[in-house]
Amino acid sequence: MKKITIYLALAFIVISTSSCSKYLQSGNGGFSDVSLNRTSDEYSIKRLKQIELDGNAICGIPGLFGGQNNKNKNKSGMMFRFNGIEIGRTPRILPIITMVGFTLGYGAIAQSTFGINDNSNSSNFGEYKLRGGLQYIIALPFAGVSNNLLWNGVAASGLTNQMYYQLIEENPDVDVFVNPKYKIDYKLGIFSQKAKVTANVTGATLKMK
C-alpha cells in the first residue's frame, strides 16, 4: 500500500508541474473561390469584423464558467468551400463520466492506503478509516488533475462551430466567405484549460444587376 501511495503522489506532482502553453497560427487557412478570381467585377469584396471566441474547461469539463463552447448549443453554421480548421464539439457528459470514474478510483486507493481501523476498543473496529465520503473528498484534486490532462484540448471544443454560426448570423448579405486567417491561443493549467480563437475573414457579395 505504501508503494501505491508513493506512486500516486509522484504522478500527482509530475502532472501538477506540467502546465504548458500552446500557440497555433494559420497565415491563410482557406482558399479563394476560383470563380471569384475570374469574375471579381461581379462581387463587392470587404474585410469582415474580426471574430474572437473564448473557451475554457475546468477539470476537463468544457464551458462550465463563462466559456463560449456551448453558446449556441442547438444552433450551427455551415459554409461550403470554406477550408480551414475544424474543432469538433465534445459532449460535456463524457468528461463528466470520466471525472466520476477517476474520483471513485482514487477514492478506493485512498481507502486502501489509510487502511482498516484495528483498534478493538473503537466502535468502528474492522471498518475503513476513511468513511462517509471522506475518501472521495481526498480523491477530488487527483481526479481533477487527471481528468484535465486526459481531456487536454477540450477548452477549444465547439469554437469553430460558433465561429461559422457567428459569421453567417452577423453577415447575412455575404454570399462567399474567403481567405480566412486563424490564430489559436491555448493554455493548459493544473486544473483548468483556456482557448482563444481569432478569425479574420474576407466576405464577397454578389452585385445584383
Side-chain angles (χ1 to χ4, degrees):
M1 297 304 176
K2 290 183 178 180
K3 288 184 177 180
I4 295 177
T5 305
I6 294 173
Y7 292 149
L8 187 60
L10 288 175
F12 181 74
I13 291 172
V14 170
I15 294 173
S16 299
T17 55
S18 63
S19 175
C20 63
S21 297
K22 295 181 181 179
Y23 174 82
L24 172 66
Q25 182 172 349
S26 172
N28 187 0
F31 62 91
S32 298
D33 193 315
V34 176
S35 62
L36 179 59
N37 287 333
R38 295 179 179 177
T39 59
S40 58
D41 58 325
E42 298 180 5
Y43 291 87
S44 173
I45 303 174
K46 63 180 179 179
R47 175 67 67 181
L48 304 180
K49 179 183 176 182
Q50 178 175 281
I51 290 180
E52 293 184 357
L53 296 170
D54 295 297
N56 65 38
I58 305 296
C59 295
I61 304 173
L64 284 182
F65 301 104
Q68 294 178 286
N69 307 79
N70 299 295
K71 183 178 179 181
N72 300 314
K73 184 177 181 180
N74 298 317
K75 301 175 183 178
S76 62
M78 181 178 293
M79 286 184 253
F80 297 97
R81 306 199 66 167
F82 193 81
N83 258 5
I85 59 172
E86 180 63 39
I87 303 172
R89 177 187 293 168
T90 301
R92 188 179 292 173
I93 187 63
L94 296 181
I96 290 177
I97 290 174
T98 57
M99 179 65 182
V100 172
F102 275 126
T103 303
L104 293 175
Y106 283 126
I109 292 174
Q111 250 186 354
S112 299
T113 301
F114 280 84
I116 296 175
N117 190 343
D118 56 1
N119 184 359
S120 58
N121 296 322
S122 173
S123 59
N124 298 324
F125 175 73
E127 298 180 359
Y128 280 113
K129 292 180 181 180
L130 294 181
R131 299 179 304 113
L134 182 59
Q135 68 273 26
Y136 301 124
I137 295 176
I138 294 175
L140 275 177
F142 297 94
V145 173
S146 299
N147 206 52
N148 194 50
L149 188 62
L150 175 65
W151 293 97
N152 183 5
V154 77
S157 170
L159 291 186
T160 51
N161 180 69
Q162 309 302 327
M163 179 185 69
Y164 293 157
Y165 177 81
Q166 190 169 330
L167 278 171
I168 296 173
E169 180 73 11
E170 295 181 356
N171 304 281
D173 59 322
V174 173
D175 297 308
V176 182
F177 297 94
V178 293
N179 294 332
K181 296 179 180 180
Y182 312 110
K183 183 174 70 173
I184 301 176
D185 290 295
Y186 174 76
K187 181 175 178 60
L188 173 65
I190 298 175
F191 292 100
S192 63
Q193 306 172 37
K194 291 183 180 180
K196 183 175 183 179
V197 176
T198 304
N200 289 282
V201 183
T202 300
T205 303
L206 182 64
K207 296 178 180 177
M208 304 300 293
K209 296 181 180 179

